[in-house]
């Protein structure tokens, strides 16, 4: 039905090391490297989410040899846009000078897979020939920088892909949501209504680390096994599993439980931390540009996060 014809990414220049973080909260480089696998992350100093989305989109369009006017849809995902409206998708359309419809969705860290699933519907209806999908985040703006349980994990960045109809590269998917606002949540600003009587938490990322960790390992394993069984494949048939980059130990546990080795999983968490909806398209772009994906390779993308939403898909490159 569709395949990926180009990828792109963008991360801000400013690097924040674990040592720099340890001057802000009670943490240290050794703990973060051992327990999470992150050495540094990027933090935006002047770019909004849509600026980063635009730069990743430009890179993907160039990689796909496409122009903005070739696009039939732009779909973005974020939890950290500068506006609720216009959406990041509308801002990317404006910055690119494109004229196609543009819409945004929110499925937290799993959102890139929801973008592919949404695009699949548009392709199936023959409403599009080319779709740009972008996951972009300025999580530094929604983090509590005094909370060492979250501020050491997240980073800013954007990843994008251009999808084209015609070739069957999106083979199968699994999507699961269990509505839950206890394990991970990002409250919105409560506003200033003089009529509203309830209170809310601070408008930053709140996360129960260990619960998220357990949920992450089991959702990766369940989703990967479901895709393999549904498609009569084994892990030997899969060139790479590209997981949401949340914690290196989550990947280690999942690899062990799936009876495979870590090198089956592509990882770049050491350099960027967890960039939520941008993490999978950034990883995909790095793999693609490094020449590590060959036509015909099977890849599994797998993600989990706030919602709680988890998803995975099987792609033939
Ligand atoms: O994309 C959304 C999905 N998010 C995730 O997948 C995140 C999943 N969860 C995690 O990655 C991990 O749970 C964390 C990285 C958040 C925390 O790691 P953990 O191994 O679960 O640590 P913990 O909360 O069990 O804490 C262990 C110890 C505690 O000390 P005591 O009580 O054993 O003395 C914590 O106080 O480590 C301490 N600790 C820290 N020490 C230094 C917790 N955070 C830190 C820190 N630096 N940043």
């Amino acid at each position: 039905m569709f395949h990926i014809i180009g990828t792109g990414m963008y991360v801000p220049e400013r690097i924040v090391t674990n040592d720099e973080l340890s001057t802000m909260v009670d943490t240290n480089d050794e703990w973060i490297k051992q327990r999470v696998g992150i050495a540094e992350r990027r933090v935006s100093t002047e770019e909004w989410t849509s600026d980063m989305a635009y730069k990743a989109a430009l890179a993907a369009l160039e990689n796909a040899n496409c122009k903005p006017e070739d696009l039939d849809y732009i779909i973005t995902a974020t939890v950290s846009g500068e506006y609720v409206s216009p959406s990041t998708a509308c801002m990317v359309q404006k910055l690119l000078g494109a004229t196609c419809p543009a819409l945004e969705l929110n499925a937290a860290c799993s959102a890139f897979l929801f973008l592919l699933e949404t695009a699949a519907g548009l392709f199936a209806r023959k409403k599009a020939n080319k779709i740009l999908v972008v996951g972009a985040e300025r999580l530094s703006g929604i983090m509590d920088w005094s909370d060492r349980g979250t501020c050491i994990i997240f980073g800013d960045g954007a990843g994008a892909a251009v999808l084209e109809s015609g070739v069957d590269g999106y083979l199968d998917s699994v999507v699961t949501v269990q509505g839950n606002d206890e394990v991970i949540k990002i409250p919105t600003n409560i506003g200033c209504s003089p009529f509203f009587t309830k209170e809310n938490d601070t408008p930053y990322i709140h996360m129960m680390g260990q619960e998220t960790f357990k949920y992450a390992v089991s959702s990766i394993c369940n989703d990967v096994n479901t895709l393999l069984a549904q498609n009569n494949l084994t892990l030997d048939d899969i060139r790479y599993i590209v997981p949401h980059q949340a914690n290196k130990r989550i990947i280690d546990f999942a690899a062990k439980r799936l009876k495979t080795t870590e090198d089956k999983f592509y990882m770049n968490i050491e350099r960027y931390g967890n960039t939520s909806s941008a993490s999978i398209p950034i990883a995909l772009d790095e793999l693609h540009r490094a020449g590590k994906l060959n036509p015909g390779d099977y890849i599994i993308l797998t993600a989990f996060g706030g919602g709680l939403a988890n998803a995975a898909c099987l792609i033939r490159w």
Side-chain angles (χ1 to χ4, degrees):
M1 184 204 301
F2 77 85
H3 67 144
I4 296 174
I5 60 165
T7 59
M9 66 171 272
Y10 176 78
V11 287
E13 270 177 29
R14 175 71 158 90
I15 293 173
V16 177
T17 62
N18 294 340
D19 283 338
E20 185 172 357
L21 275 181
S22 69
T23 65
M24 301 162 67
V25 287
D26 181 14
T27 191
N28 58 74
D29 180 57
E30 192 192 355
W31 191 94
I32 301 174
K33 279 189 181 145
Q34 266 179 13
R35 305 289 285 203
V36 202
I38 299 172
E40 60 189 38
R41 69 287 293 141
R42 301 301 180 99
V43 171
S44 173
T45 54
E46 55 187 20
E47 290 152 314
W48 295 111
T49 303
S50 62
D51 297 321
M52 293 187 273
Y54 165 64
K55 288 179 184 173
L58 271 186
L61 285 171
E62 193 184 2
N63 186 242
N65 208 13
C66 283
K67 297 193 177 68
E69 55 267 35
D70 298 333
L71 297 172
D72 300 305
Y73 263 94
I74 296 169
I75 325 178
T76 63
T78 189
V79 292
S80 52
E82 63 268 34
Y83 303 125
V84 171
S85 180
S87 66
T88 304
C90 295
M91 292 304 290
V92 170
Q93 191 242 36
K94 175 187 164 179
L95 292 166
L96 285 175
T99 53
C100 61
L103 63 104
E104 181 152 288
L105 62 80
N106 171 347
C109 300
S110 300
F112 189 73
L113 302 186
F114 284 71
L115 289 175
L116 298 181
E117 192 72 0
T118 304
L122 291 166
F123 284 122
R125 288 184 68 214
K126 304 202 186 312
K127 287 284 184 187
N129 181 40
K130 285 191 176 68
I131 299 179
L132 170 69
V133 288
V134 191
E137 304 288 358
R138 193 179 71 86
L139 299 172
S140 55
I142 55 164
M143 256 147 48
D144 176 352
W145 286 89
S146 65
D147 173 14
R148 70 176 182 174
T150 51
C151 76
I152 55 141
I153 296 175
F154 296 100
D156 297 340
V162 179
L163 318 176
E164 186 180 56
S165 64
V167 175
D168 213 3
Y170 186 69
L171 302 179
D172 200 3
S173 61
V174 280
V175 176
T176 308
V177 171
Q178 318 159 43
N180 177 311
D181 62 355
E182 281 159 25
V183 177
I184 311 175
K185 66 178 173 187
I186 310 167
T188 54
N189 259 314
I190 201 148
C192 59
S193 165
F195 305 103
F196 195 66
T197 53
K198 287 190 120 178
E199 297 204 339
N200 208 358
D201 273 330
T202 49
Y204 303 126
I205 301 171
H206 296 253
M207 184 178 72
M208 295 166 72
Q210 289 190 5
E211 283 70 9
T212 311
F213 194 105
K214 284 179 221 152
Y215 157 67
V217 174
S218 64
S219 64
I220 291 178
C221 297
N222 290 343
D223 289 348
V224 168
N225 280 331
T226 302
L227 284 178
L228 293 175
Q230 281 177 184
N231 293 279
N232 223 4
L233 296 168
T234 69
L235 274 180
D236 291 338
D237 301 311
I238 307 298
R239 180 80 183 88
Y240 279 108
I241 298 174
V242 184
H244 168 46
Q245 311 283 317
N247 184 326
K248 183 180 175 297
R249 280 195 309 128
I250 290 176
I251 312 302
D252 296 345
F253 272 65
K256 227 173 257 160
R257 214 185 276 180
L258 287 166
K259 298 189 172 46
T260 184
T261 48
E262 242 184 55
D263 53 6
K264 183 66 84 181
F265 289 82
Y266 183 72
M267 273 190 270
N268 61 14
I269 187 168
E270 191 182 3
R271 287 173 283 132
Y272 307 126
N274 177 343
T275 56
S276 191
S277 67
S279 95
I280 287 185
I282 287 176
L284 209 51
D285 184 55
E286 287 193 343
L287 271 173
H288 177 40
R289 284 175 196 254
K292 290 183 176 164
L293 301 176
N294 297 311
D297 279 349
Y298 285 117
I299 308 162
I300 289 179
L301 313 182
T302 172
F304 50 83
L308 297 171
N310 55 283
C313 68
L314 175 68
I315 284 177
R316 188 168 39 215
W317 197 253

